[in-house]
């Protein structure tokens, strides 16, 4: 069942932590539009207010929470700029690592 307070995956196990980390680093989150991000935030706000319809599934709520947690700072509640989000890690680190590997030795 969906929860705003508990993590989706069991954090007391190694694989639960791995699944959580992989979920937060999902590169597909980089390509979300502002509209999709706002819809996720609105859905979670509606859930908090107890105003969601019966057709909203747990899967939709978990996806909205994943999007929200990937985009918004947990303490400040502000949007994190795209290059600094964990989902952008792959796109930022691959060129850096490739450059280090391909650089000529000094």
């Amino acid at each position: 069942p969906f929860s705003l307070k508990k993590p989706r995956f069991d954090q007391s196990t190694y694989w639960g932590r791995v699944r959580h980390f992989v979920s937060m680093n999902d590169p597909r989150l980089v390509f979300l539009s502002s509209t999709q991000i706002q819809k996720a935030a609105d859905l979670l706000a509606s859930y908090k207010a107890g105003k969601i319809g019966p057709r909203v599934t747990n899967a939709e709520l978990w996806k909205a929470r994943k999007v929200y947690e990937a985009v918004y700072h947990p303490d400040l509640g502000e949007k994190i700029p795209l290059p600094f989000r964990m989902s952008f890690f792959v796109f930022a680190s691959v060129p850096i690592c490739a450059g280090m590997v391909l650089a000529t030795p000094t």
Side-chain angles (χ1 to χ4, degrees), residues 10-84:
D10 182 10
Q11 299 296 296
S12 68
T13 66
Y14 173 76
W15 287 112
R17 293 188 299 273
V18 167
R19 290 176 71 191
H20 173 74
F21 187 73
V22 168
S23 168
M24 287 296 105
N25 286 313
D26 185 354
R28 294 174 297 179
L29 296 173
V30 170
F31 303 108
L32 294 175
S33 67
S34 295
T35 306
Q36 290 170 306
I37 293 168
Q38 190 59 47
K39 282 182 182 178
D42 292 344
L43 180 59
L44 290 179
S46 297
Y47 179 81
K48 287 178 189 175
K51 298 180 181 178
I52 61 167
R55 293 184 183 210
V56 178
T57 64
N58 278 337
E60 291 172 317
L61 289 168
W62 281 118
K63 184 176 180 186
R65 182 175 167 188
K66 175 181 171 178
V67 168
Y68 186 86
E69 289 179 349
V71 173
Y72 289 93
H73 190 278
D75 296 327
L76 304 176
E78 298 175 359
K79 268 189 179 179
I80 300 170
L82 183 63
F84 304 110

